Amino acid sequence: MPLNILVLAKQVIDPEMPLSAFKVERENRRVSVPSTLPPVVNGFDENAVEAALRIKDGQEATVTVLSMGQGFALEVMKKPLSMGADTLVLLQDDAFLNTVDSFAIALALTTAIRKLGAFDLIIAGRQASDWDNAQVPLAVAEALGLPSVTTGKKVEVGDGLVTVERQTPEGAEVVEAPLPALVTVSNELGQPRYPTLRGIMAATRKQPVIWSAQDLGLDASDLRPRVETVDLYVPVTDAECELIQGEDEAESGRLLALKLREAKLI
Amino acid sequence: MDAVDSTGVLVLGELEDGALASTSKETLAAGRSLAGGLGQPLSLCIAGADTDAPAREAVAHGADRVYTVTNLLLAEYHPELHLEALAGVCHQTKPAIALMARTTAGRDLAPRLAARLGAGLAQDCLDMSIDPESGRMVARRPVYGGNAMAAVVCAGTPQMASIRPKAYEPLEPDPSRQGDVVPLEVALDPSMKRVRLVERIEEESEGVQLETAGIVVAGGRGLGSAAPFKELEETARLLGAGIGASRAAVDAGWVPASWQIGLTGKTISPNLYITVAISGASQHMAGCSGAKVIVAINKDAEANILKEARYGVVGDWQKVWPAFTETLRELLG
Ligand SMILES: Cc1cc2nc3c(=O)[nH]c(=O)nc-3n(C[C@H](O)[C@H](O)[C@H](O)COP(=O)(O)OP(=O)(O)OC[C@H]3O[C@@H](n4cnc5c(N)ncnc54)[C@H](O)[C@@H]3O)c2cc1C
């Protein structure tokens, strides 16, 4: 039996966009960017796809990518397919518009995972670069009763176990858990692979499976947020920078040291 | 959980080498102000093998009551057993608000606990207060890597929040403060452990610890390779400073991941933070918002870091840094 791996991936605003493009619509309590700036697959979720594909490189496995949202850019969300994933499942519905609530998202994902049937391993990015919650994967694990391991940088599967080397503030640790399990990964996993030409061709031919809220048996009351945004604004920074400038750059360096001494900072 | 009989603020405490973790003391300070806003008591719970000493510390740092779950199975942190213990305490004590620090353990525990309790969780909060009209907690937190701030309110009970380390200062401890210690029973057994620690790989850290350093020096992508970090390290030694880096420098493989400062790295709060060739992306600044004075050396006068720094030098680090270091050497003897 091939290993059945699910990857959770989110479409987000490109975090590398120029700040001038980033608009906070305070009255609507949401963020917008010009439509000319395409969204991206959340960076850590690309690491998750990479983690799944590395497992698939070494053993028979299928990789299914699952995403919940509204207004997907298909060519963006197909990237995992062009990297080598087998199937893309999009949970797409107007009812999911502006769903930033982690538990509502987790409920939709959990329902879809149950509908997909048996699986061995779920891999997700450690957090999404929009709300930085780091919450959905753990809520999914809790709902499905799975053991969870976070911030993995190396994920291996064998003998019914997943072995994860994870980054910690002190260094790293190796932990293992019985399958089925959920693992989140971090950028320390390394660069996600680039899509190959063959991969891109294969992805063009593949159509995503699209499920609506109704397909999942969910309605608006199920998706009621547990955390409500009451305000959204741009923070003000009040730092006043004093530029230290000498005759040349070396003198600027000297003056900086003297300045820090004068300010009793060193 | 039922909102009707829920009351008080509960801090989910953590232990560090048998003592109450500094982040739990910060969380008590946050809890104290919320409990004041509600006119309700502040409790802390700890789960461990030996809870007497940390319980006293918690009272000295502002807790009116300490719930203890004392069990040998909790001697070492284990995500599943500690989750079970905390969930048990929440079920038995029914807090209106439950708070936790966003530490390594807190990042794992808080979301699963919220999911288990059916509660809402405000993540990564910098500041919380009670709305006098509704009596609900309003939590402020950065989103989009720090490019925006959100104020959020949790529906349901308990209202949960995880707090960014260093966002609050612990209260001045008062050893004469009195509080109750209430032991609780939570059924635990070893079969609840599914995740198993196989090995801990500690990095040899010779230098000063970043989280507690008074001065931190950090380098970014603009350093161009691993070698310049040696120069930064030398200066850091001179200053007795900790050494860090941006994620770009970590991703490039120039320095270990444990050097990373920022949203997904370490949170620092030194008196002096000296950055070299770091642009100051919001996700980096998220890790140093507690720094008292930021210094930036950057060749780009438009770099964001210069908008957030107290002192800046616009120039090439290759020319600025040697002279800076040389002068420090003269000054510090
Ligand atoms: C979800 C998410 C989480 C993230 N978490 C973190 C995190 O925890 N920590 C973090 O740091 N980043 C994080 N990032 C990445 C962050 O957005 C930036 O990409 C990163 O901080 C950039 O690092 P940098 O400043 O070193 O590089 P750059 O942005 O490339 O800046 C390099 C700077 O060096 C200057 N420079 C170049 N040459 C010289 C020279 N000769 N002399 C002087 N100056 C020079 C340039 O002017 C420039 O300002 C995260 C991103 C995302 C999306």
Side-chain angles (χ1 to χ4, degrees):
Chain A
M1 276 276 279
L3 201 68
N4 196 348
I5 307 174
L6 306 181
V7 174
L8 309 182
K10 185 179 191 182
Q11 174 179 302
V12 293
I13 289 176
D14 187 349
E16 305 279 325
M17 81 214 136
L19 256 189
S20 54
F22 182 87
K23 291 272 168 321
V24 174
E25 299 176 17
R26 190 167 193 168
E27 58 293 354
N28 300 322
R29 296 189 294 269
R30 64 178 195 131
V31 158
S32 67
V33 295
S35 54
T36 46
L37 279 181
V40 294
V41 176
N42 177 46
F44 296 123
D45 299 344
E46 285 197 6
N47 294 123
V49 174
E50 176 62 27
L53 293 176
R54 284 184 196 168
I55 295 170
K56 193 183 167 184
D57 289 341
Q59 59 189 290
E60 224 191 308
T62 61
V63 177
T64 303
V65 177
L66 202 59
S67 187
M68 188 259 201
Q70 198 268 347
F72 283 114
L74 248 197
E75 60 294 358
V76 170
M77 292 311 288
K78 274 190 168 186
K79 183 167 178 198
L81 290 177
S82 57
M83 288 166 69
D86 301 283
T87 313
L88 176 65
V89 180
L90 298 177
L91 317 182
Q92 174 165 252
D93 201 300
D94 284 343
F96 302 157
L97 182 70
N98 288 334
T99 303
V100 295
D101 188 69
S102 302
F103 292 99
I105 298 172
L107 175 70
L109 290 170
T110 306
T111 311
I113 290 168
R114 291 209 172 97
K115 190 174 156 88
L116 283 169
F119 63 89
D120 300 291
L121 178 64
I122 303 177
I123 310 181
R126 61 177 286 171
Q127 66 197 57
S129 59
D130 48 9
W131 272 67
D132 295 309
N133 273 325
Q135 199 154 244
V136 167
L138 290 168
V140 167
E142 182 64 25
L144 295 172
L146 303 175
S148 53
V149 181
T150 55
T151 61
K153 54 179 179 177
K154 197 165 166 196
V155 186
E156 285 168 337
V157 173
D159 298 329
L161 291 173
V162 59
T163 306
V164 183
E165 185 176 328
R166 64 188 295 251
Q167 190 62 40
T168 67
E170 295 75 38
E173 57 188 31
V174 180
V175 293
E176 61 182 28
L179 299 176
L182 179 140
V183 175
T184 77
V185 297
S186 190
N187 53 295
E188 287 85 16
L189 191 107
Q191 267 291 329
R193 66 195 60 193
Y194 290 104
T196 60
L197 200 56
R198 234 181 87 215
I200 294 170
M201 302 287 283
T204 337
R205 284 189 300 271
K206 280 187 190 154
Q207 285 312 311
V209 176
I210 295 180
W211 285 339
S212 66
Q214 200 187 352
D215 292 329
L216 297 172
L218 296 173
D219 62 39
S221 67
D222 297 313
L223 300 167
R224 210 173 307 145
R226 285 199 212 156
V227 177
E228 243 171 304
T229 310
V230 294
D231 196 3
L232 191 69
Y233 55 97
V234 178
V236 283
T237 45
D238 47 10
E240 180 83 37
C241 186
E242 181 179 337
L243 286 182
I244 315 279
Q245 206 172 358
E247 286 280 297
D248 57 20
E249 286 160 307
E251 196 193 338
S252 302
R254 269 194 300 281
L255 292 177
L256 177 63
L258 294 171
K259 185 61 153 192
L260 297 184
R261 180 62 164 201
E262 185 192 308
K264 299 198 169 58
L265 288 161
I266 54 171
Chain B
M1 275 174 104
D2 211 355
V4 186
D5 50 356
S6 297
T7 178
V9 178
L10 177 67
V11 169
L12 307 167
E14 258 188 80
L15 300 180
E16 215 172 63
D17 300 325
L20 190 65
S22 59
T23 45
S24 297
K25 294 174 186 165
E26 295 166 15
T27 311
L28 276 173
R32 198 64 265 170
S33 74
L34 292 175
L38 284 174
Q40 291 175 9
L42 172 65
S43 317
L44 173 133
C45 81
I46 31 179
D50 191 349
T51 50
D52 291 349
R56 280 193 301 275
E57 281 186 281
V59 171
H61 278 91
D64 301 313
R65 182 178 300 152
V66 180
Y67 298 110
T68 57
V69 180
T70 313
N71 191 319
L72 280 179
L73 283 171
L74 299 168
E76 288 251 341
Y77 168 69
H78 188 279
E80 286 158 317
L81 290 177
H82 275 81
L83 175 63
E84 195 67 33
L86 296 183
V89 172
C90 288
H91 278 302
Q92 292 178 41
T93 63
K94 299 191 174 48
I97 293 175
L99 307 174
M100 191 159 199
R102 206 180 198 228
T103 55
T104 309
R107 285 169 192 261
D108 280 358
L109 291 173
R112 283 199 82 136
L113 182 62
R116 193 167 291 185
L117 300 175
L121 168 63
Q123 287 273 47
D124 205 13
C125 302
L126 297 180
D127 163 73
M128 286 106 52
S129 56
I130 300 293
D131 175 34
E133 257 163 57
S134 64
R136 306 293 291 181
M137 173 176 69
V138 181
R140 289 180 194 277
R141 52 157 310 189
V143 291
Y144 291 89
N147 287 317
M149 282 289 286
V152 299
V153 172
C154 300
T157 315
Q159 306 163 69
M160 289 183 65
S162 80
I163 304 170
R164 182 179 289 189
K166 312 268 165 65
Y168 281 81
E169 287 264 351
L171 303 172
E172 202 53 51
D174 174 1
S176 68
R177 264 190 106 247
Q178 297 295 313
D180 314 328
V181 177
V182 184
L184 297 178
E185 282 294 328
V186 179
L188 299 172
D189 80 79
S191 70
M192 291 167 173
K193 293 194 201 181
R194 292 175 295 177
V195 176
R196 191 176 78 85
L197 179 67
V198 182
E199 190 189 354
R200 196 165 271 149
I201 310 162
E202 310 246 330
E203 264 163 28
E204 78 299 351
S205 53
E206 354 168 327
V208 179
Q209 223 203 328
L210 272 180
E211 291 93 329
T212 51
I215 305 178
V216 172
V217 175
R221 181 166 14 221
L223 289 181
S225 69
F229 276 93
K230 289 273 168 270
E231 287 180 49
L232 261 57
E233 271 184 283
E234 205 186 304
T235 316
R237 254 195 307 277
L238 206 62
L239 290 167
I243 179 121
S246 70
R247 174 171 151 185
V250 171
D251 280 349
W254 301 337
V255 296
S258 57
W259 288 29
Q260 184 176 318
I261 292 165
L263 185 67
T264 50
K266 290 190 170 155
T267 307
I268 59 167
S269 57
N271 289 321
L272 177 61
Y273 180 38
I274 306 175
T275 68
V276 191
I278 288 180
S279 65
S282 60
Q283 292 93 348
H284 183 82
M285 302 317 289
C288 59
S289 52
K292 309 260 173 339
V293 173
I294 298 177
V295 172
I297 298 172
N298 197 301
K299 70 170 185 194
D300 176 10
E302 297 300 312
N304 184 62
I305 189 86
L306 289 165
K307 298 191 177 74
E308 312 220 14
R310 175 74 187 80
Y311 302 108
V313 171
V314 177
D316 185 345
W317 70 268
Q318 300 194 55
K319 305 219 175 70
V320 178
W321 197 252
F324 175 67
T325 306
E326 197 42 51
T327 313
L328 286 181
R329 200 170 276 127
E330 288 160 18
L331 288 172
L332 301 171

